[in-house]
């Protein structure tokens, strides 16, 4: 069998989009301030998953400055839908609102400032897609609420699942008949960290 390319990290780094000034500004800001954003590869993946699935109702857990939110909300807007994103740090929620305004997405997005575990039980479904990007150690605890809020056939995407803190989540989702999950471990340029796991799970 033939070998893969030499230096795959350097090779694949060249295939990331660098044509959006706002996203590039947020990438630079994240690097300077050590804000763990998903970066351009996972961002594009979120856009493509949302757009191709026709998601019209999207929930994001963990907004920070709204970088991943912009990818999700752009797809959601093209699908004529609305996105809700949840962030417990007021300063981040305010920055995200400003960035979504700059992206022309204010009317398609609702930035809720609050703790996921206080807000999720109050929410009503049905979401087509949920992106989970809060503290990894809280993923397993959030899983039943994600199942309740997603429609059957909906998609859960969980970031950072290669961290040991995500182990209870990985075990829970693989042993729960209510989900059909797949884990990807990949090189993700611009993601923090650049080698990490993503879990994609179909809500049964
Ligand atoms: C990894 S960052 C999100 C990055 C963002 N999704 C992106 O890629 O641009 C995680 C965010 O989740 C927020 N967060 C952590 N635990 C939370 C919770 N229980 N409820 C709401 N927000 C939370 C943090 O304040 C932080 O801004």
């Amino acid at each position: 069998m033939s070998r893969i390319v030499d230096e795959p990290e350097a090779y694949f780094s060249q295939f990331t989009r660098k044509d959006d000034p706002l996203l590039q500004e947020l990438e630079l800001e994240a690097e300077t301030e050590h804000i763990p954003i998903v970066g351009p590869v996972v961002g594009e993946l979120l856009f493509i998953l949302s757009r191709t699935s026709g998601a019209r109702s999207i929930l994001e857990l963990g907004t920070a400055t709204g970088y991943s939110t912009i990818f999700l909300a752009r797809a959601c807007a093209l699908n004529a839908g609305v996105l809700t994103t949840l962030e417990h740090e007021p300063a981040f929620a305010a920055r995200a609102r400003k960035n979504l305004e700059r992206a022309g997405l204010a009317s398609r997005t609702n930035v809720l400032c609050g703790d996921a575990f206080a807000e999720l039980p109050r929410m009503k479904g049905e979401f087509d897609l949920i992106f989970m990007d809060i503290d990894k150690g809280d993923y397993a605890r959030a899983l039943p609420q994600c199942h309740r809020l997603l429609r059957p056939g909906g998609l859960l995407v969980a970031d950072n699942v290669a961290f040991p803190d995500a182990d209870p989540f990985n075990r829970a989702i693989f042993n729960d008949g209510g989900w059909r999950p797949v884990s990807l471990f990949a090189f993700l340029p611009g993601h923090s960290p650049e080698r990490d796991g993503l879990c994609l799970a179909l809500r049964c």
Side-chain angles (χ1 to χ4, degrees):
M1 196 160 71
S2 58
R3 297 171 53 231
I4 65 165
V5 294
D6 290 333
E7 301 185 26
E9 274 89 351
Y11 177 78
F12 281 107
S13 290
Q14 66 185 310
F15 301 120
T16 57
R17 294 186 61 165
K18 299 177 185 74
D19 56 358
D20 187 310
L22 175 59
L23 292 173
Q24 285 191 269
E25 182 188 316
L26 298 186
E27 286 162 17
L28 191 65
E29 205 176 73
E31 203 178 316
T32 314
E33 297 181 41
H34 307 290
I35 302 165
I37 61 167
V38 294
V41 171
V42 174
E44 278 299 309
L45 177 65
L46 292 173
F47 176 87
I48 290 168
L49 289 172
S50 306
R51 181 73 173 123
T52 54
S53 65
R56 296 187 65 193
S57 180
I58 296 181
L59 174 64
E60 178 182 57
L61 308 179
T63 321
T65 57
Y67 177 84
S68 53
T69 322
I70 291 174
F71 288 93
L72 291 162
R74 282 182 175 161
C76 196
L78 288 169
N79 295 338
V82 177
L83 171 143
T84 300
T85 184
L86 201 48
E87 170 58 53
H88 66 180
E89 292 284 347
F92 270 146
R95 279 169 75 170
R97 283 189 195 104
K98 192 187 79 187
N99 289 328
L100 290 163
E101 177 89 46
R102 290 174 68 199
L105 292 163
S107 65
R108 292 281 172 189
T109 51
N110 182 20
V111 181
L112 291 183
C113 186
D115 182 76
F117 295 97
E119 300 298 329
L120 287 173
R122 286 203 277 260
M123 286 185 178
K124 291 196 171 69
E126 291 185 315
F127 290 96
D128 300 310
L129 189 149
I130 298 180
F131 176 50
M132 179 142 69
D133 198 16
I134 52 172
D135 293 343
K136 285 79 63 186
D138 285 333
Y139 282 10
R141 207 173 130 211
L143 197 53
Q145 289 294 341
C146 291
H147 195 271
R148 181 182 69 81
L149 290 169
L150 266 178
R151 66 166 170 81
L155 178 67
L156 174 70
V157 181
D159 194 20
N160 304 118
V161 298
F163 282 82
D165 282 356
D167 179 62
F169 166 83
N170 290 328
R171 292 183 188 282
I173 201 161
F174 274 84
N175 291 312
D176 180 337
W179 297 98
R180 182 163 178 159
V182 64
S183 297
L184 306 174
F185 179 71
F187 168 61
L188 306 165
H191 183 273
S192 181
E194 289 198 319
R195 291 171 80 234
D196 200 350
L198 277 177
C199 178
L200 272 57
L202 182 75
R203 195 268 201 213
C204 300

